[in-house]
Amino acid sequence: MSRLRPGPVALRVCVAVIGVLMIAPTIIIVVASFGSTRSLAFPPEGISTQWYENFFTDAWLPTAKSSLQIAVLTVLLATPLGTMAALGVARSRVPGIRVLQALFIAPMIIPTVILGIGLFQVFSTWRITGSMLGLVLAHTALALPFVFVTVGASLQTVDPALERAAANLGANPLRTFVQITLPLILPGVLSGALFAFVTSLDEVVVAIFLTSPQVTTLPVQIFATLQNYLDPTVAAISTLLLLVTLVVLLVTAVVDRARKTRGGDSPGALR
């Protein structure tokens, strides 16, 4: 009977410890959201769902609706813009295109505090601070790099000869993209849209600079609440946000699996 060498055993133990450390805070918040005390505590002294009820009946719900609207609008803007940018960079032969690529991913590298200050100055000039338009544009700028990177990675697996063959058969660039390129990069597009949604729903630093009493996002309200006291409603909201993220991930995986089952990985025939 073979024995495991010390190396693999140590590696498995290390991976297990890292996994526990990563998931433990989430489990603690989920469990604490069902506590019965008026202050966030772990382990909870009793079991109650009153903090979930508080979220749906208190002043939290309008803020949650605003965050959801902003996240959806961000996805609708960032996904096509990021896809077109990735396609343009991947298929361009213009000298210095790498500089443009660096500009697209800059929001992922620049500290969000600096981005927040810069966006506040620009949006103040445009007079859109404290508006939903300003928040959507800011979240789009933050989410676009994620779409750009994921779609760009998918484009690396697409053979340009397929697109040239479609052009030789008489397809215009739009038809080539819709029937050849898009089906092949769809997993990257869906992943980018998911990252854009989660980025918008979770963003707090830039939103602090751009929100107003009329338009406030859920993470900003959570941050403001935690400055005063540990409201267990925050744990309930965090659990609901986690559930929403998991549902979006599940839907994306199901759609991708169904597409592959129908043969969606093969480009459509040109007719």
Side-chain angles (χ1 to χ4, degrees):
M1 184 175 180
S2 61
R3 296 181 179 180
L4 289 175
R5 291 176 297 174
V9 173
L11 179 61
R12 292 181 183 182
V13 172
C14 183
V15 171
V17 171
I18 293 174
V20 170
L21 291 176
M22 291 180 64
I23 199 173
T26 302
I27 295 177
I28 290 174
I29 290 298
V30 172
V31 174
S33 68
F34 292 96
S36 58
T37 58
R38 296 191 61 84
S39 180
L40 191 62
F42 183 86
E45 297 180 3
I47 302 299
S48 174
T49 60
Q50 60 178 317
W51 310 117
Y52 291 90
E53 298 172 2
N54 188 47
F55 168 69
F56 287 104
T57 58
D58 204 1
W60 294 93
L61 198 55
T63 308
K65 291 180 179 178
S66 296
S67 289
L68 188 59
Q69 291 175 1
I70 292 170
V72 171
L73 291 173
T74 298
V75 171
L76 295 178
L77 276 177
T79 303
L81 290 176
T83 300
M84 289 187 293
L87 184 63
V89 170
R91 297 295 181 260
S92 177
R93 297 295 180 266
V94 177
I97 194 66
R98 296 303 176 187
V99 177
L100 184 60
Q101 183 179 8
L103 291 176
F104 278 119
I105 65 174
M108 298 176 65
I109 304 171
I110 299 175
T112 51
V113 173
I114 297 177
L115 284 175
I117 296 173
L119 289 171
F120 175 77
Q121 294 293 332
V122 173
F123 288 178
S124 295
T125 304
W126 295 351
R127 297 183 179 180
I128 57 174
T129 54
S131 66
M132 182 167 292
L133 175 61
L135 285 168
V136 170
L137 292 178
H139 286 192
T140 299
L142 294 172
L144 193 147
F146 293 95
V147 182
F148 178 80
V149 170
T150 55
V151 175
S154 295
L155 283 168
Q156 296 299 320
T157 64
V158 177
D159 188 358
L162 295 174
E163 298 171 341
R164 291 195 295 267
N168 290 334
L169 292 173
N172 57 38
L174 178 61
R175 189 176 181 188
T176 300
F177 173 77
V178 172
Q179 292 191 298
I180 303 297
T181 309
L182 183 59
L184 294 173
I185 65 172
L186 189 58
V189 175
L190 293 177
S191 298
L194 173 62
F195 279 120
F197 181 82
V198 174
T199 299
S200 175
L201 203 62
D202 186 58
E203 210 290 315
V204 60
V205 177
V206 173
I208 289 176
F209 290 92
L210 301 177
T211 54
S212 66
Q214 291 74 30
V215 182
T216 303
T217 63
L218 191 58
V220 171
Q221 187 171 358
I222 290 175
F223 179 78
T225 300
L226 291 177
Q227 288 182 314
N228 299 320
Y229 67 101
L230 295 178
D231 187 355
T233 308
V234 172
I237 295 172
S238 301
T239 303
L240 292 174
L241 289 175
L242 175 64
L243 181 61
V244 170
T245 304
L246 291 176
V247 169
V248 173
L249 283 170
L250 180 61
V251 171
T252 303
V254 170
V255 170
D256 186 47
R257 184 179 181 86
R259 183 185 61 85
K260 291 180 179 179
T261 302
R262 295 194 304 267
D265 283 334
S266 300
L270 292 174
R271 294 183 178 85

